[in-house]
Amino acid sequence: MRLVPSPVLRRPLALAVTTLASALLLTACGSSHAPSAPVGGGGTVLDRPLPSAIESLPLRDADGHPVTLSDFRGKTLVVSDSMTLCTEDCPLDTANVVAAATAADAAGLTDKVEFLTITVDPARDDSRHLTAYRKLYDPHHQLANWQLLTGSQADITQLWKYLGVYWERVKEDSPPDHDWLTGKPLTYDIAHADEVLMFDPKGVERYVVSGHAHVTGTNGLPSRMRAYLSPAGRRHLLRPGAATWTPANLLAGVSWLTGHHASLSS
């Protein structure tokens, strides 16, 4: 997987909403209803309701059971884009998402927050890959608040296009990487932006965190995924730059949207 910057089309909307929020804060005369941002979140505030056509898109979990985003109405949703055959950032993203989900669970928010890792590679992310990938990060299947989802090519394309998350099928490197599960050489790659999107219980997109994932501890990254990293992935793991996000950034957004404190020390 080749990480690419977030698309320029998404950011003007985000900036407009953030600017509006700032203006309201300045003119609300201390109103408690003025928009604010998560303390320590490091992301961008949004205000974008999901239309029913997107909420009702048919997706599938790792066991092949049907799932839609509307199934999670009433919960705060934390949605990340990923792929199981990524050698660069996705293994790090998943480690941070799982760390945040574990902390939210420890804070008693299992029934209030759902973490969804949704593929950008539906052609290869079948039940076998999703199940094996999950087992690497959650070997005892203890996290009831984290799911990996896939779907048809058309539905996945519609979902990410609406949400403004860029992804594109590109040529595989030469020599090609190999599938860590089957050992077969890969025939294509997916270039995509790495973003974590947060939705409130009413299905409104409220917050987005973008950039490289900074894994602050080594225990969250399974050894098999560590060995699978490309040189760029190892560089991001060992020498993360300034524009990065951690589980603490996600938990700041979760705390903001739920009104319940969640941290890595919960």
Side-chain angles (χ1 to χ4, degrees):
M1 184 279 290
R2 301 163 195 171
L3 182 68
V4 298
S6 301
V8 295
L9 291 179
R10 182 184 182 88
R11 297 303 152 225
L13 170 64
L15 289 174
V17 174
T18 304
T19 301
L20 175 61
S22 300
L24 289 172
L25 281 171
L26 290 173
T27 60
C29 300
S31 168
S32 61
H33 300 290
S36 59
V39 176
T44 304
V45 175
L46 299 171
D47 185 7
R48 190 188 192 201
L50 275 179
S52 59
I54 299 300
E55 276 198 311
S56 62
L57 284 173
L59 304 173
R60 300 187 304 275
D61 66 16
D63 295 322
H65 298 143
V67 177
T68 67
L69 295 183
S70 63
D71 293 341
F72 303 102
R73 273 295 185 107
K75 286 187 174 184
T76 293
L77 277 185
V78 182
V79 178
S80 57
D81 61 295
S82 188
M83 55 186 279
T84 66
L85 299 179
C86 172
T87 63
E88 189 174 335
D89 273 80
C90 298
L92 311 184
D93 295 351
T94 304
N96 277 357
V97 167
V98 168
T102 301
D105 185 40
L109 299 178
T110 302
D111 295 332
K112 296 182 180 295
V113 184
E114 193 79 22
F115 292 78
L116 302 177
T117 297
I118 306 179
T119 187
V120 293
D121 188 15
R124 298 183 296 195
D125 276 341
D126 52 18
S127 292
R128 181 185 178 191
H129 280 83
L130 293 183
T131 299
Y133 192 73
R134 181 189 176 103
K135 191 172 182 179
L136 292 176
Y137 287 91
D138 183 23
H140 304 295
H141 209 76
Q142 294 176 322
L143 285 177
N145 59 350
W146 175 51
Q147 296 191 50
L148 293 105
L149 303 181
T150 188
S152 71
Q153 190 76 55
D155 291 330
I156 291 294
T157 297
Q158 185 177 355
L159 173 69
W160 291 130
K161 182 177 181 180
Y162 178 80
L163 293 176
V165 176
Y166 167 82
W167 68 284
E168 180 182 12
R169 180 167 166 160
V170 297
K171 291 179 61 177
E172 177 60 30
D173 291 334
S174 181
D177 290 318
H178 287 69
D179 185 323
W180 59 269
L181 183 61
T182 67
K184 295 180 179 179
L186 302 182
T187 58
Y188 66 88
D189 197 2
I190 301 288
H192 69 94
D194 280 2
E195 300 194 359
V196 184
L197 318 172
M198 299 190 188
F199 301 82
D200 69 18
K202 295 181 179 180
V204 179
E205 186 180 5
R206 299 290 306 279
Y207 202 60
V208 58
V209 176
S210 305
H212 297 301
H214 179 184
V215 177
T216 56
T218 58
N219 294 334
L221 186 63
S223 58
R224 192 164 186 179
M225 285 293 101
R226 178 184 291 272
Y228 193 58
L229 291 175
S230 66
R234 290 192 293 272
R235 184 171 62 252
H236 295 160
L237 174 64
L238 300 174
R239 298 187 298 276
T244 60
W245 58 273
T246 69
N249 296 126
L250 303 188
L251 292 170
V254 167
S255 299
W256 177 59
L257 288 174
T258 63
H260 297 273
H261 177 71
S263 69
L264 293 176
S265 58
S266 296

